[in-house]
Amino acid sequence: MSAEISTLDNGLRVVTDRVETVDTVSLGLWVEVGTRHESAEVNGVAHFLEHMAFKGTERRSARAIAEEIEAVGGHLNAYTSRESTAYYAKVLKEDAPLALDILADILMHSTFDPAELERERTVILQEIGQANDTPDDIIFDHFQECAFPDQAMGRPVLGSPDIIKRLSREAVTAYLGDHYGAERMVLSVAGNAEHGRAVDLAGKLLAGLPRERAVSTEPARYAGGERREERDLEQLHLVLGFPGLTLSDPDYYAAAVLSTAFGGGMSSRLFQEVREKRGLVYAIHSFAHSYRDGGLFGIYAGTGEGDAAELLPVLCDETMRLDSGFEPAELARAKAQMKAGLLMSLESTSARCEQQAQHLLIHGTPFDPADLVCRIDAVDDAAIGRVVASWRAAPPTLVALGPLGGLEEFGRLRARLGV
């Protein structure tokens, strides 16, 4: 990969990753602000703003935005996370200027029409309702909140219905004005596009972005604990987790390899022991989420009420067995999975676009797959051991949703885990 980076006068970084063998271009603007940069009173405003960006500008209606991008066969989308927000598009290479023009327009000239805002308020309330009706989705919000209680890192991206119902137009526009500065943004372009042309076009369309916005957030403070919610469901959904590593931790890649070997595929320990050998679940996996100043490691499982009593002790036993590390073949499989996934993703201009943007926001350097492969290969038993040992520094986090009968009490769980 041969990424190029330039910085505009207002501080906006432009990164391009050229792939001459494709006919498409993926491009987007990533902003280093998200849910954790909201106050509790306006939780959900970052996501609300992301929705409103597509609802009309000074020269395009909401319908015109959709029609213009689809008239050239392209697509336009966005997402909000806890630490960033992204607005992106994918088009044929000759339509990249149009896509960037639309992205610049929605970020710099949105009108936040009151009628559109009320319609979108209803849409977001429907989205929250849908999430609440999806137990294997909403349980991860519960897990985040239980691990990071009463703080920005633990609040849901979508916000709560009560807050969304009263969120004002002024609050949405104020969040944009207070948080969206060019120095906290990256324009990423991947595909059949020339760096110089991308920089020139960005200079014309995005030079008006304000340079700096004083964005702050409270530190992430892992606490752990439990949350149980009885619901009339066919399955009990649960997540068991521990404090994770930051994005800059030297053992970040060790945590990723550990998660893959432990519960990242059909050959993983959890899948083989819990599903294949014991038949306790249909779905089970582990995950490692990292942030700038914190992180989480967790195991998700869904089980029937009659198997809940057996499942949790098995998860604890398998977690404690990690103190003995992995067999060489297990680590080799996990590393091969990660490297293959990384290299296969490079065939997608959309994935390359996002990888470059996120890496530049987090590390200040372009994404280099060869370096990542080396870091994955360098993970050894000692690094895995350090990650596992870090879990003992704080209480575990357990969240459960569904029929709770048979699920043992939290004190017994802590005793099984030695914390």
Side-chain angles (χ1 to χ4, degrees), residues 251-265 267-268 326-344 369-370 372-384:
D251 288 327
Y252 169 84
Y253 291 96
V257 171
L258 185 151
S259 180
T260 302
F262 190 44
S267 65
S268 68
F326 291 100
E327 295 295 327
E330 291 180 286
L331 276 186
R333 277 198 304 271
K335 291 178 181 182
Q337 281 181 262
M338 291 182 63
K339 291 185 290 185
L342 169 65
L343 297 175
M344 288 177 185
L372 266 61
V373 167
C374 289
R375 291 175 183 270
I376 293 168
D377 281 333
V379 172
D380 57 16
D381 292 337
I384 296 291

Coordinates of all heavy atoms in Angstrom, one line a residue, residues 251-265 267-268 326-344 369-370 372-384:
D251 N 0.3 -4.3 24.3 CA -0.3 -5.6 24.2 C -1.6 -5.6 23.5 O -2.4 -6.6 23.5 CB -0.4 -6.3 25.5 CG 0.9 -6.7 26.1 OD1 1.8 -7.1 25.3 OD2 1.1 -6.6 27.4
Y252 N -1.9 -4.5 22.7 CA -3.2 -4.4 22.0 C -3.4 -5.6 21.1 O -4.5 -6.2 21.0 CB -3.2 -3.1 21.3 CG -4.4 -3.0 20.3 CD1 -5.6 -2.6 20.7 CD2 -4.2 -3.3 18.9 CE1 -6.7 -2.5 19.8 CE2 -5.3 -3.2 18.0 CZ -6.5 -2.8 18.5 OH -7.5 -2.7 17.6
Y253 N -2.4 -6.0 20.3 CA -2.5 -7.1 19.4 C -2.5 -8.4 20.0 O -3.2 -9.4 19.5 CB -1.4 -7.0 18.3 CG -1.6 -5.8 17.4 CD1 -0.9 -4.6 17.7 CD2 -2.5 -5.8 16.4 CE1 -1.1 -3.5 16.9 CE2 -2.7 -4.7 15.6 CZ -1.9 -3.5 15.8 OH -2.1 -2.4 15.0
A254 N -1.9 -8.5 21.2 CA -2.0 -9.8 22.0 C -3.5 -10.0 22.4 O -3.9 -11.1 22.4 CB -1.1 -9.7 23.2
A255 N -4.1 -8.9 22.8 CA -5.5 -9.1 23.2 C -6.4 -9.5 22.0 O -7.3 -10.3 22.2 CB -6.1 -7.8 23.8
A256 N -6.1 -9.0 20.8 CA -6.8 -9.4 19.7 C -6.6 -10.8 19.3 O -7.5 -11.6 18.9 CB -6.5 -8.5 18.5
V257 N -5.3 -11.3 19.4 CA -5.0 -12.7 19.1 C -5.7 -13.6 20.1 O -6.3 -14.6 19.8 CB -3.5 -12.9 19.1 CG1 -3.2 -14.4 19.0 CG2 -2.9 -12.2 17.9
L258 N -5.6 -13.2 21.4 CA -6.3 -14.0 22.5 C -7.8 -14.1 22.2 O -8.3 -15.2 22.3 CB -6.0 -13.3 23.8 CG -6.5 -14.0 25.0 CD1 -5.7 -13.7 26.3 CD2 -8.0 -13.7 25.3
S259 N -8.4 -13.0 21.8 CA -9.9 -13.1 21.6 C -10.2 -14.0 20.4 O -11.2 -14.8 20.5 CB -10.4 -11.7 21.3 OG -11.8 -11.7 21.0
T260 N -9.4 -14.0 19.4 CA -9.6 -14.9 18.2 C -9.4 -16.3 18.6 O -10.2 -17.2 18.2 CB -8.6 -14.5 17.1 OG1 -8.8 -13.1 16.7 CG2 -8.9 -15.3 15.8
A261 N -8.4 -16.6 19.3 CA -8.1 -18.0 19.7 C -9.2 -18.5 20.7 O -9.6 -19.7 20.7 CB -6.7 -18.1 20.3
F262 N -9.6 -17.6 21.6 CA -10.5 -18.0 22.7 C -12.0 -18.2 22.2 O -12.6 -19.1 22.5 CB -10.5 -17.0 23.8 CG -11.2 -17.3 25.1 CD1 -11.0 -18.6 25.6 CD2 -11.9 -16.4 25.7 CE1 -11.7 -18.9 26.8 CE2 -12.6 -16.7 26.9 CZ -12.4 -18.0 27.4
G263 N -12.4 -17.2 21.3 CA -13.8 -17.3 20.9 C -14.1 -16.6 19.6 O -15.1 -16.0 19.4
G264 N -13.1 -16.7 18.7 CA -13.2 -16.0 17.4 C -13.6 -16.8 16.2 O -13.7 -16.3 15.1
G265 N -13.9 -18.1 16.3 CA -14.3 -18.9 15.2 C -14.7 -20.3 15.6 O -14.8 -20.6 16.8
S267 N -13.2 -23.0 15.4 CA -12.1 -23.8 16.0 C -11.7 -23.3 17.3 O -10.9 -23.9 18.0 CB -10.9 -23.9 15.0 OG -10.3 -22.6 14.9
S268 N -12.3 -22.2 17.8 CA -11.9 -21.6 19.0 C -12.3 -22.4 20.2 O -13.2 -23.3 20.1 CB -12.5 -20.2 19.2 OG -13.9 -20.3 19.3
F326 N -2.1 -20.9 25.6 CA -2.6 -21.6 24.5 C -1.6 -22.6 23.9 O -0.4 -22.3 24.1 CB -3.0 -20.7 23.3 CG -4.2 -19.9 23.6 CD1 -4.1 -18.5 23.9 CD2 -5.5 -20.4 23.5 CE1 -5.2 -17.7 24.2 CE2 -6.6 -19.6 23.7 CZ -6.5 -18.3 24.1
E327 N -2.0 -23.6 23.3 CA -1.1 -24.5 22.6 C -0.6 -23.8 21.4 O -1.3 -22.9 20.8 CB -1.8 -25.8 22.1 CG -2.3 -26.7 23.3 CD -1.1 -27.2 24.1 OE1 0.0 -27.5 23.5 OE2 -1.3 -27.4 25.3
P328 N 0.6 -24.1 20.9 CA 1.2 -23.4 19.7 C 0.3 -23.5 18.5 O 0.2 -22.5 17.7 CB 2.5 -24.2 19.5 CG 2.9 -24.7 20.8 CD 1.6 -25.0 21.5
A329 N -0.4 -24.6 18.3 CA -1.3 -24.7 17.2 C -2.5 -23.8 17.3 O -3.0 -23.2 16.3 CB -1.8 -26.2 17.0
E330 N -3.0 -23.5 18.5 CA -4.1 -22.6 18.7 C -3.7 -21.2 18.3 O -4.4 -20.5 17.7 CB -4.6 -22.7 20.2 CG -5.2 -23.9 20.6 CD -5.7 -23.9 22.0 OE1 -4.8 -24.0 22.9 OE2 -6.9 -23.8 22.3
L331 N -2.5 -20.8 18.8 CA -2.0 -19.4 18.5 C -1.8 -19.3 17.0 O -2.1 -18.2 16.4 CB -0.8 -19.1 19.3 CG -0.9 -18.6 20.7 CD1 0.5 -18.2 21.3 CD2 -1.9 -17.5 20.8
A332 N -1.2 -20.3 16.4 CA -1.0 -20.2 15.0 C -2.3 -20.1 14.2 O -2.3 -19.3 13.2 CB -0.2 -21.5 14.5
R333 N -3.3 -20.8 14.6 CA -4.6 -20.7 13.8 C -5.2 -19.3 14.0 O -5.7 -18.7 13.1 CB -5.6 -21.7 14.4 CG -5.5 -23.1 13.8 CD -6.7 -23.9 14.0 NE -7.1 -24.0 15.4 CZ -6.7 -24.9 16.2 NH1 -5.9 -25.9 15.8 NH2 -7.1 -25.0 17.5
A334 N -5.1 -18.8 15.2 CA -5.6 -17.4 15.5 C -4.9 -16.4 14.7 O -5.5 -15.5 14.1 CB -5.6 -17.1 17.0
K335 N -3.6 -16.5 14.7 CA -2.8 -15.5 13.9 C -3.1 -15.6 12.4 O -3.2 -14.6 11.7 CB -1.3 -15.7 14.1 CG -0.9 -15.3 15.6 CD 0.6 -15.6 15.7 CE 1.1 -15.3 17.1 NZ 2.5 -15.5 17.3
A336 N -3.3 -16.8 11.9 CA -3.6 -17.0 10.5 C -5.0 -16.4 10.2 O -5.2 -15.8 9.1 CB -3.6 -18.5 10.1
Q337 N -5.9 -16.6 11.1 CA -7.3 -16.0 10.9 C -7.2 -14.5 10.8 O -7.8 -13.8 9.9 CB -8.2 -16.4 12.0 CG -8.8 -17.7 12.0 CD -9.7 -18.0 13.2 OE1 -9.3 -18.6 14.2 NE2 -10.9 -17.5 13.1
M338 N -6.4 -13.9 11.7 CA -6.3 -12.4 11.7 C -5.6 -11.9 10.5 O -6.1 -10.9 9.9 CB -5.6 -12.0 13.0 CG -6.4 -12.2 14.3 SD -5.5 -11.6 15.8 CE -5.4 -9.9 15.4
K339 N -4.5 -12.5 10.1 CA -3.8 -12.0 9.0 C -4.6 -12.2 7.7 O -4.6 -11.3 6.8 CB -2.4 -12.7 8.9 CG -1.5 -12.3 10.0 CD -0.1 -13.0 9.8 CE -0.1 -14.5 10.1 NZ 1.2 -15.1 10.0
A340 N -5.3 -13.3 7.6 CA -6.1 -13.5 6.4 C -7.2 -12.5 6.3 O -7.5 -11.9 5.2 CB -6.6 -14.9 6.3
G341 N -7.9 -12.3 7.5 CA -8.9 -11.3 7.5 C -8.5 -9.9 7.1 O -9.1 -9.2 6.4
L342 N -7.3 -9.5 7.6 CA -6.7 -8.2 7.3 C -6.4 -8.1 5.8 O -6.8 -7.2 5.1 CB -5.4 -8.0 8.1 CG -4.5 -6.9 7.7 CD1 -5.3 -5.5 8.0 CD2 -3.2 -6.9 8.5
L343 N -5.7 -9.1 5.3 CA -5.3 -9.0 3.9 C -6.5 -9.1 2.9 O -6.5 -8.5 1.8 CB -4.2 -10.1 3.6 CG -3.0 -9.9 4.4 CD1 -2.0 -11.1 4.1 CD2 -2.3 -8.6 4.0
M344 N -7.5 -10.0 3.3 CA -8.7 -10.0 2.4 C -9.4 -8.7 2.4 O -10.0 -8.4 1.4 CB -9.6 -11.2 2.9 CG -9.1 -12.6 2.7 SD -10.1 -13.8 3.4 CE -9.2 -15.3 3.0
P369 N -0.4 -2.4 6.4 CA -0.8 -3.8 6.7 C 0.5 -4.7 7.0 O 0.4 -5.6 7.8 CB -1.5 -4.3 5.4 CG -1.1 -3.3 4.4 CD -0.9 -2.0 5.1
A370 N 1.6 -4.4 6.4 CA 2.8 -5.2 6.6 C 3.2 -5.0 8.1 O 3.7 -6.0 8.7 CB 3.9 -4.7 5.7
L372 N 1.2 -4.3 10.6 CA 0.2 -5.1 11.4 C 0.5 -6.6 11.4 O 0.4 -7.2 12.4 CB -1.2 -4.7 10.9 CG -1.9 -3.6 11.7 CD1 -1.1 -2.3 11.5 CD2 -3.3 -3.4 11.2
V373 N 0.8 -7.1 10.3 CA 1.1 -8.5 10.2 C 2.3 -8.8 11.1 O 2.3 -9.9 11.8 CB 1.4 -8.9 8.7 CG1 2.1 -10.3 8.7 CG2 0.2 -8.9 7.9
C374 N 3.3 -8.0 11.1 CA 4.5 -8.2 12.0 C 4.1 -8.2 13.4 O 4.6 -9.0 14.3 CB 5.6 -7.2 11.7 SG 6.4 -7.4 10.1
R375 N 3.2 -7.2 13.8 CA 2.8 -7.1 15.2 C 2.0 -8.4 15.6 O 2.1 -8.8 16.8 CB 2.0 -5.9 15.4 CG 2.8 -4.6 15.3 CD 1.9 -3.3 15.3 NE 2.7 -2.1 15.1 CZ 3.3 -1.5 16.1 NH1 3.2 -1.9 17.4 NH2 4.0 -0.4 15.9
I376 N 1.2 -8.9 14.7 CA 0.4 -10.1 15.0 C 1.3 -11.3 15.2 O 1.2 -12.0 16.1 CB -0.6 -10.4 13.9 CG1 -1.7 -9.3 13.9 CG2 -1.3 -11.8 14.0 CD1 -2.6 -9.3 12.6
D377 N 2.3 -11.4 14.3 CA 3.3 -12.5 14.4 C 4.1 -12.4 15.6 O 4.5 -13.5 16.2 CB 4.2 -12.5 13.2 CG 3.5 -13.1 11.9 OD1 2.7 -14.0 12.1 OD2 3.9 -12.7 10.8
A378 N 4.3 -11.2 16.2 CA 5.2 -11.1 17.3 C 4.5 -11.4 18.6 O 5.2 -11.5 19.7 CB 5.7 -9.6 17.4
V379 N 3.2 -11.6 18.6 CA 2.5 -12.0 19.9 C 3.0 -13.4 20.4 O 3.0 -14.3 19.6 CB 1.0 -12.0 19.6 CG1 0.2 -12.6 20.9 CG2 0.4 -10.6 19.3
D380 N 3.4 -13.4 21.6 CA 3.9 -14.7 22.2 C 3.1 -15.0 23.5 O 2.2 -14.3 23.9 CB 5.4 -14.6 22.5 CG 5.8 -13.4 23.4 OD1 4.9 -12.8 24.1 OD2 7.0 -13.0 23.4
D381 N 3.5 -16.1 24.1 CA 2.9 -16.6 25.4 C 2.9 -15.5 26.5 O 2.0 -15.3 27.2 CB 3.5 -17.9 25.8 CG 3.2 -19.0 24.9 OD1 2.2 -18.9 24.2 OD2 4.0 -20.0 24.9
A382 N 4.0 -14.8 26.6 CA 4.2 -13.8 27.6 C 3.2 -12.7 27.5 O 2.6 -12.2 28.5 CB 5.6 -13.3 27.6
A383 N 3.0 -12.2 26.2 CA 2.0 -11.2 26.0 C 0.6 -11.6 26.3 O -0.2 -10.9 26.9 CB 2.1 -10.7 24.5
I384 N 0.3 -12.8 25.9 CA -1.1 -13.4 26.2 C -1.2 -13.4 27.8 O -2.3 -13.1 28.3 CB -1.2 -14.8 25.7 CG1 -1.2 -14.8 24.1 CG2 -2.5 -15.4 26.2 CD1 -2.4 -14.1 23.5

